[in-house]
Amino acid sequence: ILTGTLHQLNDLVIVRVELVDTREPGILWATEYTYEIGDIIAMQGQITLEIVQAMRLGLSERERVSLDRQPTLNNAANDAYLKACYFLEYSRFHVDGNEALGKAISCLNEAIALDPAFGLAYVKKAEVLNKRAFSLTSKEDYKISRDLVEKAVLVDENLAEAHKLLALKLAFDDHDWQKAEREMKRAQELNPNLLPSFAYLLWLGRRAEAVRAIERKLELSDRHSADAQSLAAFEFYMAREFDRAVESADAAIELDPSARPSYIKILCLEATGMYTEAAEEDLIGRERWGGAPPERLAVLKATFVESGWVGLRRLELEIRKKLEGSPLGKPYDIAGGYASIGDMDEAFEWLNRAFELPIGAPVPTDARFDPIRADPRYEGFLHNMNLPEEVIARHLASVKKSP
């Protein structure tokens, strides 16, 4: 295993790298680098190249060129970009997520002002705006994000991340899957290590590839991060890997008791027909993280006893509908809730409302929508997405009875 440590001493940065043998514990190789803090961006590629050479690993010409390319040479812009990345990840599973997204946008505005040629900053700002648009149903954020992606490609036509995000825009905004695939392939050519979008793969019926992408992302992340495990739980659920989704959700909660991926466990239990267990998990989550008062919990419990899982779901959906325009009132989640209990008319009304914005959520594999797949309106929805016929046929193959 290759490990490293970084220390700052006044204006110096000291990096120590070790190659450790895990079979027979011991250090096989080690070295130390010292740089001035002003050279911290340039030193990254230099250290990587020296390590590769020391380990006698071969590099292709494309990989050598990639090491030489730096997204920005402005240290302050790079710092602002890294802060934005942190705020974006933080926003995914914390109640003050929208506030964190606002901070991320401020940081990226700073990065772009410091270096107008910083292509990755445009891409990241587009990602943040996409996230906020989905959370707050903001058409303006989606429009700006599209402009930013196109700007990123103009600024740096060899930026793989820009081509990948442009592919997603072409797929989910324009429903032009052919052009999207060309852009996605271009991204992979520019950076073979760039992970594909799991949602994009799921829309195209390439579930096995999507699962491998999720696995790889988890391998490359910090497994001791509650946020990384929470994200894996969500993605595994969408890929219909329910056991693995629950495993990652439990890992997130164990790592950080304040983590909130319990809703993933609820969805997995619901998808496998374990409605009593889903209700119990739902009530536990509301009490532990939602701060629901005892009288509110009493009403929810009484609703479940009297009307079962469907009754509990309906009560929750009526509350969510009143919160439309907030993170708790996302049209997509409301559509999924109605679909899961077999309320076709409400499900399609909210699904169409959700896709007034090109959210890209993988409806074809989201288990909540299984009960409506046999309805002719669902096939029409897939055709409206302009998916290839063979992909549509594959998506229609899974039909489930509602509870």
Side-chain angles (χ1 to χ4, degrees), residues 7 32 45 48 72 83-84 89 99 141 149 201 240 263 301 303 386:
H7 300 281
E32 190 171 280
T48 304
T72 180
K83 288 177 184 176
E89 291 306 309
E99 182 182 342
D141 279 349
V149 174
L201 294 172
R240 306 182 77 87
Y263 77 100
K301 290 176 182 177
T303 300
N386 200 31

Side-chain angles (χ1 to χ4, degrees), residues 51-112:
I51 291 172
V52 167
Q53 291 171 341
M55 297 175 65
R56 296 186 175 88
L57 299 176
L59 286 178
S60 68
E61 184 60 30
R62 184 184 298 278
E63 289 170 329
R64 288 184 180 277
V65 171
S66 178
L67 283 178
D68 290 335
R69 295 181 75 248
Q70 300 296 338
T72 180
L73 296 178
N74 187 305
N75 284 335
N78 190 58
D79 285 345
Y81 171 81
L82 293 175
K83 288 177 184 176
C85 291
Y86 165 78
F87 286 127
L88 175 58
E89 291 306 309
Y90 176 90
S91 74
R92 298 187 192 279
F93 300 100
H94 293 81
V95 292
D96 54 345
N98 285 321
E99 182 182 342
L101 291 176
K103 292 179 180 178
I105 291 171
S106 296
C107 289
L108 291 165
N109 287 339
E110 179 185 350
I112 291 169

Side-chain angles (χ1 to χ4, degrees), residues 291-331:
E295 58 273 17
R296 176 66 181 156
L297 288 172
V299 171
L300 293 170
K301 290 176 182 177
T303 300
F304 178 67
V305 171
E306 181 179 343
S307 305
W309 177 249
V310 171
L312 186 60
R313 267 292 195 210
R314 282 194 183 281
L315 179 59
E316 176 199 11
L317 290 165
E318 288 303 315
I319 295 171
R320 283 180 176 269
K321 284 162 69 173
K322 295 175 183 177
L323 298 172
E324 186 181 4
S326 76
L328 293 176
K330 297 173 188 173

